[in-house]
Amino acid sequence: MLGYGYYFDPTYLLVIIGAVLSIWASSRVNSTYNKYSRVRSMTGMTGAEAARMILNYNGLSDVRVEHVSGSLTDHYDPRTKVLRLSDSTYGSGSVAAIGVAAHECGHAVQDKDGYVPLKIRGALVPVANLGSALGLPIVILGLIFGLSYTFIQIGIWVFAAAVLFQIVTLPVEFNASGRALQMLQSYRILTEEEAGYCRKVLSAAALTYVAAAASSILQLLRLYLLAGGRRNRD
């Protein structure tokens, strides 16, 4: 909502800033990926082949590489030990596709190594889902119906769990990209020049996680400010 009565709610600017950051980051990763998806790797490997090679080199022959529909829907599932690559990655031999595949392999290696931030993020998933689904509605209902400040504060703490998840995600994603770049060069899957292109793709992708975390923090700050205004009126 933009405001109460005839008064503009200045805290809504925080939401706008977060939205702008997210749109910019999404645009950046799409443009960067599209650019380097047209650059073929000298090895001729596809994303799926590169992923299989990296996994085998790391003793992860039990991790399956599967195809999943969509674009940039790539992910590693630590529960089932399955690495899923999207339409734009699985069968593509581009530098961008290989970079994305290697990034997901980075998560698989994190899982094998017992990387602590990955474990924390995994443990936070159910709480984060609850916070994303219920936190904001609780606060809004509390403000609209004039419920107690304690009720509103509960909503803020619930939403904070989702924010914490976004923050913990940052080191997990940065570390996976660092591992990916190192493995791609160590295993001679990409040349030094191609690895440079891949770094640009993964750096652009990282911006989406930074933007998501920043947007969540700004939303949390807005809720805190709105709740503070409500408490002052009580």
Side-chain angles (χ1 to χ4, degrees), residues 82-101:
V82 175
L83 192 150
R84 297 185 177 91
L85 301 178
S86 66
D87 295 330
S88 56
T89 303
Y90 189 90
S92 173
S94 72
V95 170
I98 291 174
V100 170

mmCIF file of all heavy atoms in Angstrom, residues 82-101:
data_model
loop_
_atom_site.group_PDB
_atom_site.id
_atom_site.type_symbol
_atom_site.label_atom_id
_atom_site.label_comp_id
_atom_site.label_asym_id
_atom_site.label_seq_id
_atom_site.Cartn_x
_atom_site.Cartn_y
_atom_site.Cartn_z
ATOM 1 N N VAL A 82 21.031 -35.686 -6.813
ATOM 2 C CA VAL A 82 20.777 -35.533 -8.247
ATOM 3 C C VAL A 82 21.107 -34.106 -8.665
ATOM 4 O O VAL A 82 20.712 -33.147 -7.996
ATOM 5 C CB VAL A 82 19.304 -35.835 -8.593
ATOM 6 C CG1 VAL A 82 19.027 -35.549 -10.068
ATOM 7 C CG2 VAL A 82 18.971 -37.282 -8.273
ATOM 8 N N LEU A 83 21.852 -33.981 -9.749
ATOM 9 C CA LEU A 83 22.178 -32.677 -10.311
ATOM 10 C C LEU A 83 21.337 -32.512 -11.571
ATOM 11 O O LEU A 83 21.455 -33.311 -12.506
ATOM 12 C CB LEU A 83 23.674 -32.612 -10.636
ATOM 13 C CG LEU A 83 24.252 -31.237 -10.973
ATOM 14 C CD1 LEU A 83 25.718 -31.173 -10.538
ATOM 15 C CD2 LEU A 83 24.148 -30.947 -12.459
ATOM 16 N N ARG A 84 20.473 -31.516 -11.574
ATOM 17 C CA ARG A 84 19.554 -31.325 -12.692
ATOM 18 C C ARG A 84 19.968 -30.104 -13.517
ATOM 19 O O ARG A 84 20.153 -29.016 -12.969
ATOM 20 C CB ARG A 84 18.120 -31.167 -12.181
ATOM 21 C CG ARG A 84 17.617 -32.413 -11.450
ATOM 22 C CD ARG A 84 16.161 -32.301 -11.043
ATOM 23 N NE ARG A 84 15.693 -33.545 -10.405
ATOM 24 C CZ ARG A 84 15.736 -33.771 -9.102
ATOM 25 N NH1 ARG A 84 16.191 -32.832 -8.282
ATOM 26 N NH2 ARG A 84 15.316 -34.928 -8.608
ATOM 27 N N LEU A 85 20.074 -30.302 -14.818
ATOM 28 C CA LEU A 85 20.484 -29.240 -15.732
ATOM 29 C C LEU A 85 19.346 -28.912 -16.688
ATOM 30 O O LEU A 85 18.683 -29.801 -17.217
ATOM 31 C CB LEU A 85 21.729 -29.676 -16.517
ATOM 32 C CG LEU A 85 22.963 -30.024 -15.670
ATOM 33 C CD1 LEU A 85 24.112 -30.478 -16.569
ATOM 34 C CD2 LEU A 85 23.392 -28.840 -14.814
ATOM 35 N N SER A 86 19.149 -27.630 -16.916
ATOM 36 C CA SER A 86 18.017 -27.147 -17.715
ATOM 37 C C SER A 86 18.253 -27.300 -19.210
ATOM 38 O O SER A 86 19.338 -27.690 -19.666
ATOM 39 C CB SER A 86 17.765 -25.673 -17.390
ATOM 40 O OG SER A 86 18.866 -24.882 -17.812
ATOM 41 N N ASP A 87 17.233 -26.959 -19.980
ATOM 42 C CA ASP A 87 17.308 -27.024 -21.445
ATOM 43 C C ASP A 87 18.490 -26.230 -21.988
ATOM 44 O O ASP A 87 19.150 -26.649 -22.941
ATOM 45 C CB ASP A 87 16.014 -26.461 -22.063
ATOM 46 C CG ASP A 87 14.800 -27.305 -21.728
ATOM 47 O OD1 ASP A 87 14.957 -28.518 -21.556
ATOM 48 O OD2 ASP A 87 13.693 -26.738 -21.627
ATOM 49 N N SER A 88 18.744 -25.064 -21.376
ATOM 50 C CA SER A 88 19.794 -24.168 -21.873
ATOM 51 C C SER A 88 21.187 -24.607 -21.443
ATOM 52 O O SER A 88 22.180 -24.019 -21.877
ATOM 53 C CB SER A 88 19.533 -22.742 -21.385
ATOM 54 O OG SER A 88 19.442 -22.694 -19.972
ATOM 55 N N THR A 89 21.272 -25.638 -20.618
ATOM 56 C CA THR A 89 22.575 -26.080 -20.090
ATOM 57 C C THR A 89 22.923 -27.504 -20.482
ATOM 58 O O THR A 89 24.046 -27.779 -20.919
ATOM 59 C CB THR A 89 22.588 -25.972 -18.541
ATOM 60 O OG1 THR A 89 22.291 -24.635 -18.156
ATOM 61 C CG2 THR A 89 23.947 -26.367 -17.990
ATOM 62 N N TYR A 90 21.978 -28.402 -20.360
ATOM 63 C CA TYR A 90 22.243 -29.834 -20.481
ATOM 64 C C TYR A 90 22.966 -30.211 -21.784
ATOM 65 O O TYR A 90 24.025 -30.841 -21.765
ATOM 66 C CB TYR A 90 20.931 -30.611 -20.379
ATOM 67 C CG TYR A 90 21.123 -32.103 -20.273
ATOM 68 C CD1 TYR A 90 21.263 -32.718 -19.030
ATOM 69 C CD2 TYR A 90 21.162 -32.920 -21.412
ATOM 70 C CE1 TYR A 90 21.433 -34.089 -18.915
ATOM 71 C CE2 TYR A 90 21.343 -34.280 -21.313
ATOM 72 C CZ TYR A 90 21.481 -34.863 -20.063
ATOM 73 O OH TYR A 90 21.662 -36.224 -19.966
ATOM 74 N N GLY A 91 22.392 -29.841 -22.908
ATOM 75 C CA GLY A 91 22.964 -30.257 -24.183
ATOM 76 C C GLY A 91 23.754 -29.191 -24.898
ATOM 77 O O GLY A 91 24.190 -29.400 -26.033
ATOM 78 N N SER A 92 23.982 -28.062 -24.251
ATOM 79 C CA SER A 92 24.695 -26.953 -24.883
ATOM 80 C C SER A 92 26.198 -27.051 -24.633
ATOM 81 O O SER A 92 26.633 -27.408 -23.534
ATOM 82 C CB SER A 92 24.178 -25.619 -24.341
ATOM 83 O OG SER A 92 24.972 -24.539 -24.812
ATOM 84 N N GLY A 93 26.968 -26.714 -25.662
ATOM 85 C CA GLY A 93 28.424 -26.723 -25.536
ATOM 86 C C GLY A 93 29.004 -25.341 -25.343
ATOM 87 O O GLY A 93 30.200 -25.133 -25.583
ATOM 88 N N SER A 94 28.184 -24.403 -24.922
ATOM 89 C CA SER A 94 28.662 -23.035 -24.752
ATOM 90 C C SER A 94 29.431 -22.866 -23.453
ATOM 91 O O SER A 94 29.296 -23.653 -22.507
ATOM 92 C CB SER A 94 27.485 -22.054 -24.771
ATOM 93 O OG SER A 94 26.717 -22.155 -23.583
ATOM 94 N N VAL A 95 30.245 -21.824 -23.401
ATOM 95 C CA VAL A 95 30.993 -21.496 -22.193
ATOM 96 C C VAL A 95 30.035 -21.214 -21.039
ATOM 97 O O VAL A 95 30.281 -21.620 -19.896
ATOM 98 C CB VAL A 95 31.896 -20.271 -22.454
ATOM 99 C CG1 VAL A 95 32.503 -19.763 -21.158
ATOM 100 C CG2 VAL A 95 33.003 -20.621 -23.442
ATOM 101 N N ALA A 96 28.931 -20.526 -21.339
ATOM 102 C CA ALA A 96 27.952 -20.191 -20.304
ATOM 103 C C ALA A 96 27.326 -21.452 -19.712
ATOM 104 O O ALA A 96 27.189 -21.578 -18.495
ATOM 105 C CB ALA A 96 26.861 -19.285 -20.884
ATOM 106 N N ALA A 97 26.945 -22.379 -20.563
ATOM 107 C CA ALA A 97 26.311 -23.618 -20.102
ATOM 108 C C ALA A 97 27.263 -24.431 -19.241
ATOM 109 O O ALA A 97 26.875 -24.955 -18.183
ATOM 110 C CB ALA A 97 25.840 -24.442 -21.295
ATOM 111 N N ILE A 98 28.499 -24.536 -19.662
ATOM 112 C CA ILE A 98 29.491 -25.302 -18.903
ATOM 113 C C ILE A 98 29.742 -24.638 -17.552
ATOM 114 O O ILE A 98 29.897 -25.320 -16.531
ATOM 115 C CB ILE A 98 30.798 -25.428 -19.713
ATOM 116 C CG1 ILE A 98 30.559 -26.345 -20.917
ATOM 117 C CG2 ILE A 98 31.934 -25.956 -18.847
ATOM 118 C CD1 ILE A 98 31.739 -26.441 -21.869
ATOM 119 N N GLY A 99 29.751 -23.309 -17.538
ATOM 120 C CA GLY A 99 29.941 -22.589 -16.280
ATOM 121 C C GLY A 99 28.821 -22.850 -15.296
ATOM 122 O O GLY A 99 29.065 -23.088 -14.101
ATOM 123 N N VAL A 100 27.588 -22.823 -15.783
ATOM 124 C CA VAL A 100 26.435 -23.078 -14.920
ATOM 125 C C VAL A 100 26.460 -24.517 -14.403
ATOM 126 O O VAL A 100 26.199 -24.781 -13.222
ATOM 127 C CB VAL A 100 25.116 -22.803 -15.679
ATOM 128 C CG1 VAL A 100 23.918 -23.292 -14.872
ATOM 129 C CG2 VAL A 100 24.982 -21.315 -15.981
ATOM 130 N N ALA A 101 26.792 -25.462 -15.285
ATOM 131 C CA ALA A 101 26.868 -26.868 -14.884
ATOM 132 C C ALA A 101 27.937 -27.063 -13.811
ATOM 133 O O ALA A 101 27.733 -27.783 -12.825
ATOM 134 C CB ALA A 101 27.168 -27.738 -16.104
#
